[in-house]
Amino acid sequence: MSLADLPDAIDLSHHLSVVARARRVSPLKSLQKYFGKSGIIQLGGGLPNPTYFPFVSLSAEVMVPESFTISPQPSSFEWLWKFLGKEVPYGKTTGISIPKYPTAPDDLNLARALQYTPAIAQPQLQAFMTRFVREVYQPAYANYAVLVNMGNTDGWNKALTTLCDPGSGVLVEEWTYASAMAAMIPCGVSPVPVRMDAQGMRDDSLRVVLEGWDEVQRGMSRPRVLYLVPVGQNPCGSTMTAERKRRIYDVCVDFDVVIVEDDPYYFLQMGAYVPREDRPSSSPLCGEEARYIASLVPSFLKYDYQGRVIRLDSFSKTIAPGSRLGWFTCHPVFAERLERQGETTTQAPCGFSQALVIKLLTEWRYEGYIRWLQGLGVEYRQRRDFFLDCLAEEFHLRITPASGGVWGGTDVYTATAKRGEKPGVMFSFVPPTAGMFVWMTLHVENHARFSAENQEPLEMELWTRLAEAGVLFCPGWMFAYDGFVDAPDGTVGSSNTPGGHFRVSFSNAELGDLRRAVEIFARVLGEFFAEE
Amino acid sequence: MSLADLPDAIDLSHHLSVVARARRVSPLKSLQKYFGKSGIIQLGGGLPNPTYFPFVSLSAEVMVPESFTISPQPSSFEWLWKFLGKEVPYGKTTGISIPKYPTAPDDLNLARALQYTPAIAQPQLQAFMTRFVREVYQPAYANYAVLVNMGNTDGWNKALTTLCDPGSGVLVEEWTYASAMAAMIPCGVSPVPVRMDAQGMRDDSLRVVLEGWDEVQRGMSRPRVLYLVPVGQNPCGSTMTAERKRRIYDVCVDFDVVIVEDDPYYFLQMGAYVPREDRPSSSPLCGEEARYIASLVPSFLKYDYQGRVIRLDSFSKTIAPGSRLGWFTCHPVFAERLERQGETTTQAPCGFSQALVIKLLTEWRYEGYIRWLQGLGVEYRQRRDFFLDCLAEEFHLRITPASGGVWGGTDVYTATAKRGEKPGVMFSFVPPTAGMFVWMTLHVENHARFSAENQEPLEMELWTRLAEAGVLFCPGWMFAYDGFVDAPDGTVGSSNTPGGHFRVSFSNAELGDLRRAVEIFARVLGEFFAEE
C-alpha cells in the first residue's frame, strides 16, 4: 500500500497530560525559523561563534557492515578467538571524518553539529531515521512523525510526562522493566499489571482488566497508557507474535489506550533454540535485505492505523549505549509536545554523537546498516546457544509443556542436578528467541527451608552465595510490579511472586566467563538444594 | 583556608520536592557497585559486549590553548582576517585519539565510555571538574558534591524538579532567561520577579519581597528557591559584584532560600568598555593563572557556607554547545537526588562527548584550559568593543547617569540620530562587562504613535521591519516575567514593561555582518522614529 492510500491519525489530543498541554513553544526557539533564511544577519540567539569550538575535525576508525558473519561455523577461528581471548580482532575497518566547516553547504560539519540547534535531529540523521521507519516498520497511517531522543530511557520518561498525570496508572506486563517503573512511581503513576504468557502480555487479560475496571476499588480511573517491551521482553525474554500484537492493539482501540512500545531488542531476534545435538553444523541466514526484514516479527506500528503507538527505538544495542541516541515514531501531536519538552530539558542530543553516528551510517549506507543488524542477530544467537549449551552440560535439562503462568503456551526446560542424590527440579526456563536475557524460575519450593513467606529471602540468599562465589545474576524481585507497589486485589495479574527468579544476561560476558559462571552456578545451586 | 577548616553543609533536605523524595535508587543500578569488583563475572546487567560497538578508535584535531591571544593588537592580521572572511584560520592544532580498548586499565577508552554507566561522569572527567571547582570557585563548605549533567538547560530542569512542587514560586530577576521560565511554568511553578539594577537582582528588593510575603494575596507560600544568571545576565547583560552576591546570600540564609546560580557566561568576563578614542592601542592581560582567576568576580559558592547554592556550569560556551555537557556543584543531598533523577531520565551524558571533552582537557592540561578561557574572554571583549564602536559610528552616543530602574547605579549610553532632524533619544544601553548580550531600551515614548498600550506593538513593528531589512534581534518581551504570567499587585518588581527592548547578541556573527547589521539598524530606526 502506498503512503497516499493510508489514513491520517485520529485525534488523540485528549491523551496529553496537564503538563504537556501547558508547555509553550520556547519563545527563543520560535526565532529559529528565521535562522536559515538566506542572507539574514542573526543577532537574536545566544550562540557562540564556531571559531571558538576547539574541535577542528573529528575522525574514527569503524568496523565494516560485514564484520560479523551471517553464515556461522561453530568452530570458526573468529568464534574460538572470542572464547579464548579478552579482545577480539575487529578485522577490516574504514575511516570516517567530519570537518568543522563544510565543503558543500549541506555537508555534515562540526560548525553546525556542535552549535545550538532545535531539539530535533541533524537533517542527515532525520532523513536516515525516516527512511528506516518507513522501510522496516511500515506504519499503517500516513502522517506519523519521527523525532530524535536520547535513547529509550529518555524516550519513556518523556512519553510518561507527556501522557500521564499524577494519580493515573500505566498497564504493564506482570514482570516488567524495573527502570520503567522507577521512572513512573515517583511521579505518582502506578504500574497496573496484566497477566503474561510465553508471548508476553495476554490480550484476554488486558480486556478483563479494562472491562472490569472499578475506579473505587482501584483508587484511580481506567488507565489510558500501556507500556511493554514486546521483543526479548525485559526481564522474561519472551517475544510477542504478530497475531498477539494485533489483538492487543484491537483491545487498545476499544478502550482508547495509547501503547508505548519500548523495543530496544528488536534486531536481536534470533530464532528458536535447537539443542546442540540436533543443531545443523552450519545455519546460514538469508542475507537478502527484504527477506531479512520480512523475517522479523512486525512492530506495533504495522497495525497502528490510528496513531496510538509511541514506538521507542534506540541505537544503544545496535551501535553503542554511550551514543545516547534513539527516536520516537508516533502521532504528530505527541511528537510536537515531546519536542517542546525537549527544548526545556535535554535540548537536542549531543552533537558529537549525532555527527559520528550519522557519518557511520552514511559510510555504511542503509543496506550496510541492515547487514550489520543481521550480523548482530547471529552473534546474539550464538551467545544464547553457547550459554544454553553450557547449562545443558551442567544440568539434566528436560522439556515439558508449561502448565500455565508466564510460560503458558510453550515448552519449558526444567533443570535437575547431573550429580548428587537430590532429584527435584532446581530451576526452569524457556530459551528466548530474541534479546539478551534468560529468565530462570527458581524452584525454591523444592528447598528444605521453603515456606510461603520464604521465597524472596531464599532467592536473595542464593543470589548472595553466587555473588560471593564470583557470579552476579539479576534478582527477579526487581521486575515484579509488587516489588514497587502493593498488589491490587489479586484477581488479575497475581501470578507473579516476589521471590524465586533470576534474570541472566548472556549479552556481555566473554564466552569463557560465561562457561565458568555456569559451572559456579551448578556447584552453588547443587549445594544450596542439597541442604537438609 | 584548607578544606579541613571548612564546615560541612547544614541539613537542607526539607527543600526536596515531593517527586524528588519519592525517587528510589533504580534497582538495576544498585547492582553496579559490584561491577568493578575484581574477577567477578557479571551476568546481571543488560549490557552489550563492546565487541559490538563499531567504533574502533576516535580521534580529533584540536586547537591549542594559546589559539587566541591575550595581548590583542586591534589591527592584527588575525582580527582583520575575521573581519574579512567567513572562515578563520585556526592556526596550530594537535591530534588527540581514544582507542576502543585501554592500554593501561585506567586509561580512557571507548569500550568503557560507550558502555552503559551510572548517571555520573567518566572518572577522568569527574577528577577534572572536581579540581576545577576547588581551585576556581573555592566553595565555603567542605562536603560539596560535583555531578555531571547535560548542560545548564538540563541542569535547571533537574534542579527545578528536585526542589519545586506545583503551586510554588521561584524568585527571579524582573527580566530573566525565557527558557528558564518556559521550563517552570508548565510544571505549575511561577516566576516571582524581584527588582534589578545595574548589578542584577537587588538584595533590598529581595528582602522586601520575602519579608512582606502575603500567602493569601500571592496565592502561594513564600518561595524557597531563587534562580539567577549573575554574570552577563540573560537578557540584560549585567554582572553582579562580589558584595551584591554576599548580600543576596545573606538574605537567602535569613529566609531559608536555595539559590540556583545559572552561570554559563562566567568565563566571558571582559572588563569595562572604553570608547575607541580613549582605548589604549594594546591592552595585554595578565596570563598568570592565579591572578587571572582572582580577577574574576567570585561565584556564589565562595560565600556558600551552608550548602544552599546549586551552581550550574557548562561547557557550551567554553567548548561547544553540542557537547551537551555541564555540571552541578551543590549540597551532597541534592546531588544524590539529582543523580537518581538522571538514572531514569537522561542517564549519563553521551559517551562520545565525555570521551572527547576529557581527552581534550587532558591534552591541554588544567593550566591550558585556564589559558583557553582567558583567550575566549579577550575574544568576547573584542567582539563587544567592535559592536559598540559600530554603534558609536552610526549614532550620537552620550553618557548619562541612570535615573533608576534596571540600570540604577551606573551610567547609561543614550543614542540619538547622527543625521536627520529628530533630536529625541531612540535607544539606550549599558555596555556589558561579561557575556554575549547588549540590552537595548527602545525609547518608544519618543515615537509619534506612542501610547501607554502601544509599547509592545511598537517593539514588534520595529522588530519586523528590521527582520524584513535582513537583521534579527531578540524582542525583549520574551524575557519579561509578565510575558508568561500575569503580574502580581505591582508594588514590587513592576518596573519592567512588556515592550520596548531588544536583546542583541554580539557573540556569533562575523564582524562584517555585525557592522552591516548596525548600519541597517541605524537606517531602519531613523526611518521609524522620523514618522509623523
Side-chain angles (χ1 to χ4, degrees):
Chain A
M1 204 188 296
S2 88
L3 213 62
D5 300 325
L6 294 174
D8 271 356
I10 65 172
D11 181 11
L12 293 174
S13 53
H14 56 283
H15 280 282
L16 294 171
S17 69
V18 171
V19 170
R21 282 164 216 255
R23 287 189 201 285
R24 307 194 199 176
V25 177
S26 174
L28 284 178
K29 305 280 170 170
S30 69
L31 288 181
Q32 282 179 327
K33 63 182 168 186
Y34 296 96
F35 280 18
K37 209 171 158 182
S38 161
I40 204 147
I41 305 176
Q42 168 57 275
L43 309 182
L47 283 67
N49 189 287
T51 310
Y52 307 131
F53 304 165
F55 288 87
V56 170
S57 74
L58 210 59
S59 44
E61 280 299 309
V62 297
M63 293 160 75
V64 297
E66 303 77 17
S67 294
F68 299 111
T69 182
I70 52 174
S71 304
Q73 308 288 334
S75 58
S76 73
F77 173 74
E78 183 201 13
W79 194 244
L80 190 67
W81 189 284
K82 281 185 202 171
F83 182 76
L84 295 172
K86 279 271 169 205
E87 284 178 34
V88 179
Y90 26 75
K92 202 174 152 208
T93 64
T94 177
I96 59 173
S97 182
I98 307 154
K100 186 169 185 177
Y101 296 105
T103 42
D106 292 338
D107 279 2
L108 183 72
N109 66 85
L110 294 180
R112 179 169 180 171
L114 297 184
Q115 186 55 281
Y116 284 112
T117 59
I120 57 176
Q122 293 285 306
Q124 299 88 348
L125 181 59
Q126 182 67 30
F128 189 94
M129 297 184 305
T130 302
R131 175 179 178 188
F132 192 85
V133 167
R134 186 179 66 239
E135 300 204 10
V136 176
Y137 304 129
Q138 304 159 23
Y141 68 111
N143 64 334
Y144 59 88
V146 174
L147 176 69
V148 77
N149 61 33
M150 302 193 330
N152 289 16
T153 303
D154 177 52
W156 166 237
N157 178 62
K158 282 181 175 152
L160 175 70
T161 318
T162 295
L163 298 173
C164 299
D165 292 312
S168 66
V170 170
L171 298 152
V172 296
E173 289 154 313
E174 59 187 301
W175 297 98
T176 193
Y177 181 41
S179 288
M181 290 191 283
M184 64 175 103
I185 291 166
C187 301
V189 178
S190 306
V192 174
V194 178
R195 270 185 207 273
M196 299 173 74
D197 63 14
Q199 291 186 35
M201 185 181 282
R202 291 177 62 116
D203 55 281
D204 54 356
S205 299
L206 177 62
R207 190 175 288 277
V208 167
V209 169
L210 290 167
E211 246 170 17
W213 193 265
D214 182 330
E215 291 203 0
V216 176
Q217 186 203 0
R218 295 275 195 164
M220 62 176 132
S221 58
R222 201 175 65 202
R224 303 184 285 102
V225 177
L226 184 156
Y227 169 88
L228 45 60
V229 181
V231 174
Q233 202 259 3
N234 194 347
C236 296
S238 50
T239 295
M240 200 172 263
T241 58
E243 176 62 13
R244 176 67 61 85
K245 281 179 175 162
R246 205 187 46 69
R247 286 170 180 272
I248 294 267
Y249 187 82
D250 289 346
V251 176
C252 289
V253 169
D254 290 349
F255 291 91
D256 190 23
V257 169
V258 171
I259 299 167
V260 180
E261 179 180 35
D262 181 4
D263 210 354
Y265 312 113
Y266 187 80
F267 295 99
L268 309 185
Q269 298 185 44
M270 52 183 78
Y273 174 69
V274 179
R276 187 159 52 179
E277 51 276 21
D278 306 325
R279 199 178 306 153
S281 67
S282 162
S283 44
L285 266 84
C286 173
E288 202 266 312
E289 182 188 313
R291 280 180 56 197
Y292 162 68
I293 290 170
S295 78
L296 300 170
V297 63
S299 158
F300 270 100
L301 290 177
K302 181 114 180 185
Y303 308 106
D304 186 17
Y305 60 91
Q306 294 188 323
R308 60 173 67 252
V309 173
I310 299 183
R311 180 178 167 86
L312 307 180
D313 269 287
S314 170
F315 288 112
S316 289
K317 274 73 176 185
T318 63
I319 291 181
S323 68
R324 298 288 79 223
L325 213 55
W327 73 87
F328 301 101
T329 307
C330 65
H331 196 296
V333 168
F334 295 159
E336 190 275 337
R337 294 284 91 186
L338 290 162
E339 187 185 332
R340 293 293 84 70
Q341 183 176 0
E343 285 168 357
T344 58
T345 57
T346 56
Q347 299 201 5
C350 173
F352 288 117
S353 184
Q354 289 200 61
L356 286 163
V357 168
I358 188 58
K359 193 74 188 177
L360 171 75
L361 295 173
T362 306
E363 170 70 23
W364 279 359
R365 296 177 304 116
Y366 175 82
E367 296 73 18
Y369 184 53
I370 299 290
R371 172 62 184 78
W372 171 264
L373 296 174
Q374 283 187 274
L376 276 189
V378 173
E379 284 289 307
Y380 277 85
R381 188 179 75 190
Q382 291 186 96
R383 287 187 156 270
R384 175 203 61 188
D385 290 355
F386 181 86
F387 177 68
L388 297 184
D389 291 351
C390 290
L391 286 179
E393 274 175 40
E394 296 293 330
F395 299 93
H396 278 300
L397 298 184
R398 284 188 195 82
I399 302 177
T400 50
S403 56
V406 296
W407 294 122
T410 195
D411 289 340
V412 173
Y413 284 61
T414 58
T416 52
K418 270 198 172 168
R419 290 166 288 273
E421 301 291 299
K422 286 278 181 177
V425 172
M426 297 191 289
F427 68 96
S428 59
F429 64 95
V430 169
T433 60
M436 298 180 156
F437 308 118
V438 172
W439 180 244
M440 290 180 173
T441 301
L442 301 169
H443 290 262
V444 286
E445 70 274 17
N446 295 331
H447 192 277
R449 282 187 278 116
F450 173 77
S451 69
E453 298 73 38
N454 207 21
Q455 290 185 59
E456 194 173 326
L458 282 174
E459 171 185 308
M460 286 314 293
E461 184 183 328
L462 178 57
W463 186 86
T464 307
R465 285 204 203 178
L466 266 173
E468 280 167 9
V471 175
L472 290 183
F473 288 174
C474 194
W477 62 263
M478 292 183 173
F479 305 95
Y481 65 87
D482 47 3
F484 284 89
V485 292
D486 293 334
D489 72 309
T491 53
V492 172
S494 64
S495 65
N496 90 7
T497 50
H501 300 83
F502 285 153
R503 189 194 74 174
V504 186
S505 169
F506 52 82
S507 57
N508 185 19
E510 303 306 326
L511 300 187
D513 285 345
L514 217 44
R515 166 165 287 168
R516 273 190 294 282
V518 172
E519 289 165 1
I520 293 167
F521 177 55
R523 177 171 54 77
V524 171
L525 199 66
E527 289 165 7
F528 181 72
F529 274 97
E531 278 185 17
E532 298 303 327
Chain B
M1 204 190 298
S2 91
L3 214 61
D5 300 324
L6 295 174
D8 271 355
I10 64 171
D11 181 11
L12 292 174
S13 54
H14 57 281
H15 279 283
L16 294 170
S17 69
V18 171
V19 169
R21 281 163 215 255
R23 288 189 200 283
R24 306 195 199 178
V25 177
S26 173
L28 284 178
K29 305 281 170 171
S30 67
L31 288 181
Q32 282 178 327
K33 64 182 167 187
Y34 296 97
F35 280 17
K37 208 170 160 184
S38 161
I40 205 147
I41 305 176
Q42 168 56 276
L43 309 183
L47 282 66
N49 190 289
T51 311
Y52 306 132
F53 305 165
F55 288 87
V56 169
S57 74
L58 209 59
S59 43
E61 280 299 310
V62 297
M63 292 158 76
V64 297
E66 303 78 17
S67 293
F68 299 110
T69 181
I70 51 174
S71 305
Q73 309 288 335
S75 59
S76 75
F77 174 75
E78 183 200 13
W79 194 243
L80 190 68
W81 188 283
K82 280 184 200 168
F83 182 75
L84 296 172
K86 279 270 170 206
E87 284 178 35
V88 179
Y90 25 75
K92 204 175 153 207
T93 64
T94 176
I96 58 173
S97 182
I98 307 153
K100 186 171 186 176
Y101 296 105
T103 41
D106 292 337
D107 278 2
L108 183 70
N109 65 86
L110 294 179
R112 179 169 180 173
L114 296 185
Q115 187 55 282
Y116 284 112
T117 58
I120 56 175
Q122 294 285 306
Q124 298 88 348
L125 182 58
Q126 182 67 31
F128 188 93
M129 297 183 306
T130 303
R131 176 179 178 188
F132 192 84
V133 167
R134 186 179 65 240
E135 301 204 9
V136 177
Y137 304 129
Q138 306 161 22
Y141 66 111
N143 63 335
Y144 60 88
V146 174
L147 176 68
V148 77
N149 62 33
M150 302 194 328
N152 288 16
T153 303
D154 178 51
W156 166 237
N157 178 62
K158 282 180 176 152
L160 177 69
T161 317
T162 295
L163 298 174
C164 298
D165 292 312
S168 66
V170 170
L171 298 153
V172 297
E173 287 153 315
E174 59 186 304
W175 296 98
T176 193
Y177 181 41
S179 289
M181 289 191 284
M184 66 174 102
I185 290 168
C187 301
V189 178
S190 306
V192 175
V194 178
R195 270 185 207 272
M196 300 173 74
D197 64 14
Q199 292 186 36
M201 185 181 282
R202 291 177 62 115
D203 55 283
D204 54 355
S205 298
L206 177 62
R207 189 175 289 276
V208 167
V209 169
L210 289 167
E211 247 171 17
W213 193 264
D214 181 331
E215 292 204 0
V216 176
Q217 186 204 0
R218 295 275 196 166
M220 61 175 130
S221 57
R222 201 175 65 203
R224 302 185 284 101
V225 177
L226 184 156
Y227 168 88
L228 45 60
V229 181
V231 174
Q233 202 259 6
N234 195 344
C236 298
S238 49
T239 294
M240 201 173 262
T241 57
E243 176 61 15
R244 176 67 61 84
K245 281 179 175 161
R246 206 189 46 69
R247 286 171 179 270
I248 293 268
Y249 186 83
D250 288 346
V251 176
C252 290
V253 168
D254 289 349
F255 292 91
D256 190 22
V257 169
V258 172
I259 298 168
V260 181
E261 180 181 34
D262 181 4
D263 211 354
Y265 313 112
Y266 187 80
F267 295 100
L268 310 185
Q269 297 185 43
M270 51 183 81
Y273 173 68
V274 179
R276 189 160 50 180
E277 52 277 19
D278 306 326
R279 199 178 305 152
S281 67
S282 162
S283 45
L285 266 85
C286 174
E288 202 265 313
E289 184 188 314
R291 279 179 56 197
Y292 163 67
I293 289 171
S295 77
L296 301 170
V297 62
S299 159
F300 271 100
L301 289 176
K302 181 115 181 184
Y303 308 106
D304 186 18
Y305 60 91
Q306 294 188 324
R308 60 173 68 251
V309 173
I310 299 183
R311 181 179 165 85
L312 307 180
D313 268 288
S314 170
F315 288 111
S316 288
K317 273 74 176 184
T318 63
I319 291 181
S323 69
R324 298 287 80 224
L325 214 54
W327 74 87
F328 302 100
T329 307
C330 65
H331 196 295
V333 167
F334 296 160
E336 190 275 338
R337 293 285 91 185
L338 289 163
E339 186 185 333
R340 293 292 83 72
Q341 182 175 1
E343 286 168 357
T344 59
T345 58
T346 56
Q347 299 200 5
C350 172
F352 288 117
S353 185
Q354 289 199 63
L356 286 162
V357 168
I358 188 57
K359 192 74 189 179
L360 171 75
L361 295 174
T362 307
E363 169 70 23
W364 279 357
R365 296 178 304 116
Y366 174 82
E367 296 73 17
Y369 184 53
I370 299 291
R371 173 59 185 80
W372 171 263
L373 296 174
Q374 284 187 271
L376 275 189
V378 173
E379 284 290 308
Y380 277 84
R381 187 180 75 189
Q382 291 187 96
R383 286 188 155 270
R384 176 203 60 186
D385 289 355
F386 181 84
F387 178 68
L388 298 184
D389 291 350
C390 291
L391 287 179
E393 275 176 41
E394 297 293 330
F395 298 94
H396 278 302
L397 299 184
R398 283 187 196 81
I399 303 178
T400 50
S403 56
V406 297
W407 295 121
T410 193
D411 288 340
V412 173
Y413 284 60
T414 58
T416 52
K418 271 198 170 168
R419 291 165 289 273
E421 300 293 298
K422 287 277 181 179
V425 173
M426 297 191 288
F427 67 96
S428 59
F429 65 94
V430 169
T433 60
M436 298 181 157
F437 308 118
V438 172
W439 180 244
M440 289 180 176
T441 302
L442 301 169
H443 290 261
V444 286
E445 70 274 15
N446 295 331
H447 192 276
R449 282 188 277 118
F450 173 76
S451 70
E453 299 72 38
N454 207 22
Q455 291 185 60
E456 194 173 326
L458 281 174
E459 171 185 308
M460 285 314 293
E461 185 184 326
L462 179 58
W463 187 86
T464 307
R465 286 202 204 178
L466 266 173
E468 281 168 9
V471 175
L472 290 183
F473 288 174
C474 195
W477 61 263
M478 293 183 173
F479 304 95
Y481 65 86
D482 49 2
F484 283 90
V485 292
D486 293 334
D489 72 310
T491 52
V492 173
S494 64
S495 66
N496 90 9
T497 52
H501 299 83
F502 285 152
R503 189 195 73 175
V504 186
S505 169
F506 53 82
S507 57
N508 185 18
E510 303 307 326
L511 299 188
D513 285 345
L514 217 44
R515 166 165 288 168
R516 273 190 292 281
V518 172
E519 289 165 1
I520 293 169
F521 178 55
R523 177 172 53 78
V524 171
L525 200 66
E527 290 164 6
F528 182 72
F529 275 96
E531 278 185 18
E532 298 303 326

